[in-house]
Amino acid sequence: MNETDPDLELLARIGNNDAQAVQEMVTRKLPRLLALASRLLGDADEARDIAQESFLRIWKQAAHWRSEQARFDTWLHRVALNLCYDRLRRRKDHLQADSEEAIEAPDSGPTPEQQLEAQSQQRRMAQALDRLPERQREAIVLQYYQELSNTEAAALMNISVEALESLLSRARRTLRSHLAEAPGTDLSGRRKP
Amino acid sequence: MTPERFAYLADAYGADLQRWPSAERAQAQALLDTGHATARQALQQARWLDTRLDSYRVPEPSPALVRQIIATAALHPPAPTLWQRYAGWLTSLGWIGVGLSGAAAGMLAVTLSLPLPPSAEALPSVLDQSDAEFVLSINAEEAEQ
């Protein structure tokens, strides 16, 4: 498993203070870290803090990384997840209020009407995700958005694959139910007259 | 694969079979290929949600954030490993050793280059006068016995 870890060589170079390797690591990992934290926390500012803190851990760890350890990407997800848990514990009461402000419009080229519709759908999706119980949201974010394998996601959550599937299944049912409540949609995706 | 299992997996992993457990993909595809209605319906329902999940995009990292994070690497260089610290210590020790060897070699060179003093006092012999007398007196005592 470790022979195929695609980050090992980069880590070794960072351990030797290679500035180019630092840049490559940021390019490789930052978008995924930011996406993970944004979707779990629903807050862009906090997501940026999590990303920065995670990279500090990378810089400290790079020279000490051993290939016998877990895959680097899995370790990094665990670091970011733990940081997210800390944040969630600290500001649970304010999460709902912050989430709407956190949704920023993605860069896209469609017409203003399409953009408005896309933003509206995105907002609905973010709210639905935000309304999920914490563990269900985590399961969806890790398996669907971060595209981790079921075994990786289950290991990160310290649960069995069966328990993960159960969480995913409940999460998707709840999401369908929340989104179907939105005006103008039915479960097949067709607009209601 | 049973249609119930197919529906359960679609419910958990979504419509893209590539996200399903690898061990079950082939069987799932085989069931789909038969045109099973339950399987197709489960997949359609899953695809509806996938489309909405995909709509939730998050912004790309800003260039400012990228710069900030890169700058932190310079502020927090990786701490040397135990081996690196050990190697550094050995290197220092090596330099000290080289210094000491140099000093010793220098002292030896100076010593060897100095001319020997001509007098016998500078290099006392075991056969100098007092020692010879001592040896002779012992021999005399042994002869008397």
Side-chain angles (χ1 to χ4, degrees), chain B residues 8-115:
Chain B
Y8 181 75
L9 290 175
D11 217 21
Y13 294 105
D16 183 0
L17 295 192
Q18 289 306 309
R19 294 173 184 267
W20 289 30
S22 53
E24 301 192 78
R25 281 179 211 151
Q27 294 172 335
Q29 188 60 55
L31 185 66
L32 264 183
D33 292 342
T34 66
H36 198 286
T38 309
R40 288 193 171 277
Q41 195 184 347
L43 215 58
Q44 189 184 0
Q45 202 177 40
R47 193 170 291 119
W48 181 86
L49 183 61
D50 286 355
T51 309
R52 270 131 198 92
L53 284 167
D54 291 342
S55 74
Y56 183 12
R57 291 192 288 154
V58 291
E60 287 293 307
S62 67
L65 180 64
V66 171
R67 277 196 303 274
Q68 253 178 321
I69 289 175
I70 289 173
T72 60
L75 294 173
H76 300 84
T81 61
L82 189 65
W83 167 245
Q84 284 169 334
R85 280 201 296 269
Y86 183 62
W89 182 77
L90 280 180
T91 307
S92 322
L93 206 66
W95 282 116
I96 293 170
V98 167
L100 286 174
S101 316
M107 284 169 69
L108 185 65
V110 167
T111 308
L112 291 177
S113 65
L114 286 175

Side-chain angles (χ1 to χ4, degrees), chain B residues 134-144:
Chain B
F134 176 71
V135 171
L136 288 174
S137 67
I138 289 176
N139 288 344
E141 283 172 14
E142 283 175 351
E144 284 172 12

Side-chain angles (χ1 to χ4, degrees), chain A residues 53-82:
Chain A
E53 183 60 36
S54 301
F55 272 97
L56 288 183
R57 308 279 174 97
I58 296 178
W59 308 146
K60 282 181 194 160
Q61 190 67 28
H64 306 275
W65 188 262
R66 295 283 170 270
S67 54
E68 307 87 49
Q69 289 175 249
R71 276 183 73 222
F72 175 70
D73 197 57
T74 309
W75 172 83
L76 188 56
H77 269 82
R78 188 179 294 284
V79 166
L81 272 180
N82 287 339

Side-chain angles (χ1 to χ4, degrees), chain B residues 114-119 122-123:
Chain B
L114 286 175
L116 284 174
S119 71
L123 194 64

Side-chain angles (χ1 to χ4, degrees), chain A residues 83-139:
Chain A
L83 291 169
C84 287
Y85 295 150
D86 289 345
R87 295 279 173 147
L88 285 170
R89 273 195 291 272
R90 268 187 274 164
R91 58 126 181 104
K92 214 164 192 172
D93 295 341
H94 306 291
L95 184 61
Q96 190 68 36
D98 288 348
S99 63
E100 289 198 17
E101 294 171 8
I103 303 161
E104 294 174 20
D107 291 331
S108 54
T111 64
E113 290 78 17
Q114 285 172 320
Q115 272 188 325
L116 276 176
E117 173 58 25
Q119 281 172 22
S120 164
Q121 193 173 76
Q122 169 160 315
R123 192 174 298 111
R124 280 198 301 274
M125 187 62 239
Q127 284 169 342
L129 198 64
D130 202 38
R131 284 164 68 183
L132 284 179
E134 208 171 292
R135 294 293 273 176
Q136 291 182 25
R137 181 167 64 242
E138 198 182 321

Side-chain angles (χ1 to χ4, degrees), chain A residues 125 128-129 132-141 164-179, chain B residues 11-12 49 53:
Chain A
M125 187 62 239
L129 198 64
L132 284 179
E134 208 171 292
R135 294 293 273 176
Q136 291 182 25
R137 181 167 64 242
E138 198 182 321
I140 282 282
V141 168
L164 173 78
E165 286 178 353
S166 172
L167 278 173
L168 286 170
S169 182
R170 278 184 283 152
R172 289 179 70 99
R173 274 201 299 272
T174 311
L175 286 173
R176 270 203 307 273
S177 155
H178 287 330
L179 294 168
Chain B
D11 217 21
L49 183 61
L53 284 167

